[in-house]
Amino acid sequence: MKLFYVLAALTLCIAGIFFWKTQSPPAVTVETIPLVRTAVVGAAGELKSYTYAGEVRGRYESQLAFQVAGKIIKRNVQLGSVVNAGDVLLEIDPKDLKQTVNSSSAQVRSAESQLKLTESNLQRYRQLYSQNAISQAQLDQYENAYEVAQAAVQQAAAQYGQSSNQLDYCQLCADTAGVISGINAEAGQVVSAGQTIVTIVQNGEREVEISVPENRIKELRTASQLTISFWALPDLKANGKVREIAPMAASTTRTYQVRISILNPPPEIKLGMTAAVSLTSAGEQNVNLTSIPLAAIYQTNDLPGVWVVTDHTAHLRPVQIGGLSNNQVQVTGLLPGEIIITAGVHKLREGQKVRLSAGDKL
């Protein structure tokens, strides 16, 4: 019996210990406050600016071509040659065209001889008709033959003039004074009529040709200022003005060709120089544009946002995206002096407590 009571007491003790453990409070989980990298929003109201690369071109360019086909036998100019109006640039082999001129000349002489013969016959038969030796019908035949001979002479003369002009077309001459900027054929090459051979940039105004995407055309039209810089002349700046915007985009690049006139171009500017056109849109001066690091953008669906720190708490602020350059993005919706998180934005949640890195202040 004593053994029974001892075992019962031990059982009750073990059950009590188990019940006490099961009723103990759960362990408290301590949340770790993350350390974040931040940046202070700078002054707002910045101007939106863009830069486009281009090339110095002449405003007026002439693309010259032969009016006849043939083999080039002589080239008198090189790239960069200065020419005057009437200078012979290239020549085509004139052998075949000379034979055509000789043939046309022979046809003219033949037609003239036939005209003389018909004229003599007509005079003779008019005398016979006056003597009532022939009928009116016979006289009409000779008068008609004379008229046909006259038309044949005119036709042969026109063909001779055409072949003579083609012989003159064997020489490609400059139509204006300027500089040779392009040559697309060499001596010995057979070219066709109308094929562009030489490009001449006329003396006078200089322009910069740039390519602009379709979503920037409106900003280009309203640009308050255009500044042109040159890679080979780093200390030289020039003002520009939009002269022409292509009505259609290029089929390959889907960009519009734009010509920027250089106002008062310095003499140091040469054709073909690499230029950069910077523009500032006048309509953006009152917009609250702020440049922030690209890594600070947090995208939720189609709505971009930025984590703003207030009282050591992260709050997601929707923003609108502007231009992008050098890992910086222009946004609207932020105020100067606000602190934004620039790293680890995808690991935060709304209302989460954060610790600022050394050097950042609220």
Side-chain angles (χ1 to χ4, degrees):
M1 293 298 290
K2 292 182 178 180
L3 181 59
F4 173 77
Y5 288 117
V6 172
L7 293 175
L10 291 175
T11 304
L12 291 174
C13 291
I14 295 174
I17 294 173
F18 178 77
F19 177 78
W20 177 78
K21 288 186 176 181
T22 56
Q23 296 299 320
S24 61
V28 178
T29 302
V30 179
E31 181 181 2
T32 302
I33 300 177
L35 179 66
V36 295
R37 181 177 299 174
T38 60
V40 180
V41 177
E46 299 177 357
L47 296 179
K48 181 182 288 186
S49 61
Y50 303 95
T51 301
Y52 301 97
E55 178 185 359
V56 177
R57 307 284 293 272
R59 176 171 181 176
Y60 301 103
E61 297 181 357
S62 300
Q63 295 184 347
L64 306 182
F66 285 104
Q67 294 181 249
V68 293
K71 179 181 179 181
I72 298 177
I73 60 174
K74 191 175 183 180
R75 196 183 84 174
N76 301 324
V77 293
Q78 306 292 333
L79 286 175
S81 299
V82 179
V83 297
N84 297 315
D87 290 349
V88 179
L89 308 179
L90 293 94
E91 297 182 21
I92 279 182
D93 189 355
K95 293 180 181 179
D96 294 339
L97 294 177
K98 285 182 178 180
Q99 295 300 326
T100 303
V101 171
N102 294 336
S103 176
S104 299
S105 177
Q107 291 178 358
V108 170
R109 291 194 297 269
S110 175
E112 290 176 347
S113 299
Q114 187 67 25
L115 178 62
K116 291 180 181 180
L117 177 60
T118 55
E119 183 179 7
S120 300
N121 290 336
L122 179 60
Q123 292 177 356
R124 188 179 304 111
Y125 278 88
R126 281 177 176 173
Q127 293 177 358
L128 295 176
Y129 177 76
S130 62
Q131 298 174 2
N132 296 324
I134 59 174
S135 63
Q136 180 66 41
Q138 290 178 312
L139 180 62
D140 292 342
Q141 290 179 355
Y142 284 96
E143 289 180 346
N144 181 66
Y146 176 73
E147 293 177 356
V148 171
Q150 284 182 321
V153 170
Q154 294 177 355
Q155 181 181 8
Q159 292 178 349
Y160 175 74
Q162 182 181 14
S163 60
S164 298
N165 292 336
Q166 290 182 341
L167 183 60
D168 294 336
Y169 296 154
C170 287
Q171 293 183 338
L172 183 62
C173 300
D175 58 350
T176 184
V179 179
I180 303 296
S181 63
I183 300 177
N184 301 324
E186 299 291 338
Q189 181 177 344
V190 177
V191 297
S192 59
Q195 177 182 345
T196 301
I197 304 299
V198 176
T199 301
I200 298 180
V201 178
Q202 300 182 21
N203 297 329
E205 299 182 34
R206 293 292 180 259
E207 298 179 338
V208 176
E209 184 179 69
I210 61 177
S211 298
V212 180
E214 56 189 20
N215 62 332
R216 301 297 184 196
I217 292 296
K218 182 179 179 180
E219 297 173 352
L220 184 67
R221 295 182 187 274
T222 60
S224 60
Q225 183 179 2
L226 294 177
T227 303
I228 304 174
S229 58
F230 305 90
W231 180 79
L233 305 171
D235 298 330
L236 181 62
K237 302 288 185 181
N239 295 325
K241 180 181 178 182
V242 177
R243 183 186 68 82
E244 178 184 71
I245 299 178
M248 294 184 62
S251 58
T252 54
T253 61
R254 304 309 304 166
T255 57
Y256 289 81
Q257 299 296 319
V258 179
R259 288 294 187 105
I260 307 296
S261 297
I262 303 177
L263 305 180
N264 301 320
E268 295 86 356
I269 298 177
K270 305 299 181 182
L271 292 172
M273 278 188 171
T274 301
V277 179
S278 301
L279 63 93
T280 300
S281 181
E284 301 292 342
Q285 295 184 7
N286 298 324
V287 177
N288 187 21
L289 283 174
T290 304
S291 294
I292 64 174
L294 182 61
I297 299 297
Y298 177 70
Q299 188 82 12
T300 57
N301 297 328
D302 294 333
L303 182 63
V306 174
W307 290 104
V308 180
V309 179
T310 304
D311 296 331
H312 295 280
T313 304
H315 299 283
L316 187 61
R317 177 84 57 81
V319 295
Q320 293 184 356
I321 302 297
L324 174 66
S325 63
N326 297 329
N327 292 326
Q328 294 285 320
V329 61
Q330 292 180 330
V331 300
T332 59
L334 298 176
L335 299 178
E338 288 187 320
I339 296 178
I340 61 174
I341 299 176
T342 59
V345 295
H346 298 284
K347 298 181 179 180
L348 300 175
R349 66 177 185 275
E350 178 65 28
Q352 183 178 0
K353 291 292 184 177
V354 295
R355 292 183 297 127
L356 305 184
S357 58
D360 294 327
K361 296 182 180 180
L362 283 175

